Amino acid sequence: MTRVIMHGCNGHMGRVITDLVSKDDDIEIVAGIDPFDDGHNTYPVFASIKDCDVKADAVIDFASAKAEDALLDYCVEKQIPVVVCTTGLSKEQLDKVRESACKVAVLKSANMSLGINTLFKLLQDAAKVFIPSGYDVEIVERHHNQKLDAPSGTALALADAIKEVAGDEYYYKYDRSQEHKKRDPKEIGISAVRGGTIVGVHDVIFAGEDEVIEFTHTAYSKSVFAKGAIEAAKFLAGKPAGMYDMTDVIASK
């Protein structure tokens, strides 16, 4: 049984994870951290991570970026592995995440979905075949109309996975509207669509002569990210200090 602290337990993702964990016999939330608590949780909730005195095997972090520094300090001090899912971290905070990984186990990925992280490897295998054969690569991502950043971090991570195989001469192309010229064979096109309540769709296209191969990942709800975070916490419990990501979780399956 993996005992976890849910950092940001009353946020949307915290509630989703709490519900999923309640149906999983291999993991238990023993404490939650959230400044706003209405008393509905079955586990004790602390307003700040500094106040938590409950022993745990790992922390799942889906909270505000402003709480990240205190969380990392706590995990290093208590030697509790942490799954960092909070987004919007500053460069300084990302540096602190890496520094903390020298002292305690830290897992961070651009996307927590098991499907997306499996897709990374599939794309690299495909790129080894299609890139040398001159196929063009295009990535189209679609998200809801409230998403602030574009392209998505996941789209960039997918592009990075392909670029590892393609080589440094390949580069990302985000906009062609100001140019009137043929496509550069060395560009990886990345396009963003924003509309409605789309949770997340990522299409990766390998377009060759008389042939198109497409990989598509569709998230129908945010529970796919919650499930990934839960599996990550199970994996990370008991691990030595170091920087881990979801590819390590998948490799352990």
Side-chain angles (χ1 to χ4, degrees):
M1 173 73 73
T2 303
R3 302 167 300 167
V4 300
I5 295 170
M6 184 65 237
H7 191 242
C9 62
N10 290 330
H12 176 72
M13 290 303 297
R15 291 176 185 269
V16 173
I17 290 173
T18 296
D19 180 60
L20 290 174
V21 167
S22 69
K23 304 167 186 174
D24 190 329
D25 294 334
D26 297 324
I27 190 168
E28 175 187 10
I29 297 178
V30 293
I33 311 299
D34 205 292
F36 309 104
D37 184 36
D38 58 10
H40 73 279
N41 292 304
T42 59
Y43 47 79
V45 177
F46 300 87
S48 168
I49 188 68
K50 295 180 293 184
D51 301 327
C52 182
D53 57 359
V54 179
K55 292 184 178 179
D57 302 309
V59 176
I60 297 177
D61 169 41
F62 262 112
S64 168
K66 64 184 180 182
E68 197 66 26
D69 292 320
L71 171 66
L72 293 171
D73 289 341
Y74 177 89
C75 289
V76 168
E77 178 188 351
K78 303 292 185 181
Q79 285 295 287
I80 304 176
V82 56
V83 180
V84 177
C85 305
T86 292
T87 59
L89 301 183
S90 67
K91 180 184 180 300
E92 291 74 20
Q93 287 176 313
L94 291 172
D95 289 341
K96 185 163 185 170
V97 169
R98 288 186 283 269
E99 292 168 5
S100 298
C102 297
K103 304 171 184 176
V104 71
V106 178
L107 188 147
K108 189 177 189 316
S109 285
N111 187 301
M112 296 305 295
S113 160
L114 292 171
I116 281 288
N117 284 277
T118 301
L119 183 57
F120 288 146
K121 182 173 189 311
L122 295 175
L123 288 176
Q124 290 193 319
D125 290 342
K128 290 173 185 176
V129 176
F130 299 131
I131 293 293
S133 300
Y135 285 61
D136 296 322
V137 182
E138 293 284 325
I139 298 173
V140 181
E141 57 96 343
R142 290 172 274 169
H143 285 87
H144 53 85
N145 57 21
Q146 301 300 302
K147 187 171 177 61
L148 300 179
D149 58 318
S152 69
T154 298
L156 291 173
L158 292 169
D160 288 345
I162 295 170
K163 194 170 183 290
E164 281 183 23
V165 173
D168 289 339
E169 66 270 25
Y170 278 77
Y171 64 95
Y172 303 153
K173 188 74 170 181
Y174 304 106
D175 181 24
R176 298 188 179 94
S177 65
Q178 303 303 311
E179 298 179 350
H180 297 278
K181 64 180 183 179
K182 293 181 180 179
R183 185 188 194 281
D184 185 342
K186 298 299 184 182
E187 67 185 51
I188 298 175
I190 305 178
S191 304
V193 175
R194 295 290 175 267
T197 58
I198 302 170
V199 174
V201 181
H202 291 84
D203 298 314
V204 181
I205 303 164
F206 291 93
E209 187 171 345
D210 300 326
E211 184 175 47
V212 174
I213 299 92
E214 295 186 45
F215 293 82
T216 299
H217 178 274
T218 302
Y220 291 102
S221 79
K222 290 186 176 181
S223 67
V224 298
F225 312 122
K227 290 174 183 175
I230 290 169
E231 292 304 312
K234 293 177 185 177
F235 164 82
L236 203 62
K239 291 292 188 295
M243 197 76 204
Y244 301 83
D245 61 28
M246 287 301 290
T247 59
D248 298 307
V249 179
I250 291 169
S252 70
K253 296 294 185 182

